[in-house]
Amino acid sequence: MGSEHVIGAVRRTLARRSLLCHPTRAARTVLVACSGGADSAGLLLALARLAPELGVTLVAASVDHGLRPDAARDVAIAAQQAATLGVPFRALAVTVPRRGSLQAAAREARYAALREAAAGVGAEHVAVGHTREDQAETVLARLLRGSSLRGLGGTAPRRADGIVRPLIDCARADVRALVIAEGLPFVDDPSNADPRFLRSRLRADVLPALAAIDPGVVDHLAALADDARAADAALRAAGGALLRRAGLERPSVAILARSRSAVRRCALARWAGDAPSRPVSRAHLEALDALVCTGRGEVRLPGRRTARVVAGQLVAAPAGGDASDKSA
């Protein structure tokens, strides 16, 4: 594929998915996250080519997590990529806490550093280099973990915090070919081939096996992510409207019980404090749904709370407390 193939795809993605739009004005500065790898190099190259017609200024940034001896080399390669393309560069460093999932902690620290750097240069968006294959791998990983509809939506092309993914409709191989054709240096992250990580096993074994059955599997999974996000957004809007009708604090069980199950569960999730950072589990939602439909029993919720039906209303109180002492 020629360079115009990837650059044209990025142009269409930016427009179709409104990635660089601000509610009141057009984006002027975009921070581009660069790892030194081929994907982010392709992202920087495509945005650099499109910047004049988009009317944006680019700043590149690379984060050293301090987790690998060659991390400084990767940052130096990213700096070289930016210099070749005439883009200002920022080198960032973070300390990753050694607890829980190291990958998750590194990701959280990286995004925090990028958001801080973006604020420092007046950028409202941070562009990251996730491709269509990254999206497919995310959907598969979440499916294997028993994800909800929200999880099957994969990684959003545009997040509320300004993170955007202009390569989300591009094939990884095409992006890599562009970078090689343009002569940009890049490195391959060895962790991408480490079988200790689920994503690496999906990339090396599972997706190729599925592609042998259906060569379009990556496209299908990416399309599923788009459909799942749209359906989830519609359900959550309907659930929010239902909860407002039933009552935000102490919703009417009768109103909830008359609604469709999928909408009711979205309302119950919102009532229980569901959030992307701390989602209410499927087991909690099933128990809450049964409580609403039968009016009997109680449900232990996250945050040491207990849900009960009192006088026809769904109420929550600290575990061991008495929910009936709150006025309706």
Side-chain angles (χ1 to χ4, degrees), residues 6-7 10 41-51 58 85 167 178:
V6 172
I7 294 169
V10 171
L43 172 65
L44 184 62
L45 191 155
L47 291 179
R49 295 282 176 82
L50 293 171
L58 303 180
L85 295 169
L167 295 182
L178 168 64

Side-chain angles (χ1 to χ4, degrees), residues 174-253:
D174 290 345
V175 176
R176 189 182 186 93
L178 168 64
V179 173
I180 293 173
E182 295 294 328
L184 280 181
F186 65 89
V187 293
D188 288 317
D189 184 348
S191 67
N192 289 333
D194 190 333
R196 292 178 300 171
F197 302 124
L198 174 61
R199 183 177 291 272
S200 299
R201 298 195 300 275
L202 292 174
R203 183 173 300 183
D205 302 323
V206 179
L207 268 177
L210 292 175
I213 300 171
D214 180 2
V217 64
V218 168
D219 292 341
H220 300 331
L221 289 168
L224 173 62
D226 284 343
D227 291 345
R229 284 194 311 278
D232 183 62
L235 275 175
R236 289 183 182 280
L242 171 61
L243 189 61
R244 289 190 292 273
R245 290 199 307 273
L248 293 174
E249 298 296 329
R250 296 166 64 98
S252 163
V253 170

Side-chain angles (χ1 to χ4, degrees), residues 110-123:
R110 177 170 66 253
Y111 280 126
L114 290 169
R115 285 192 294 267
E116 183 178 352
V121 299

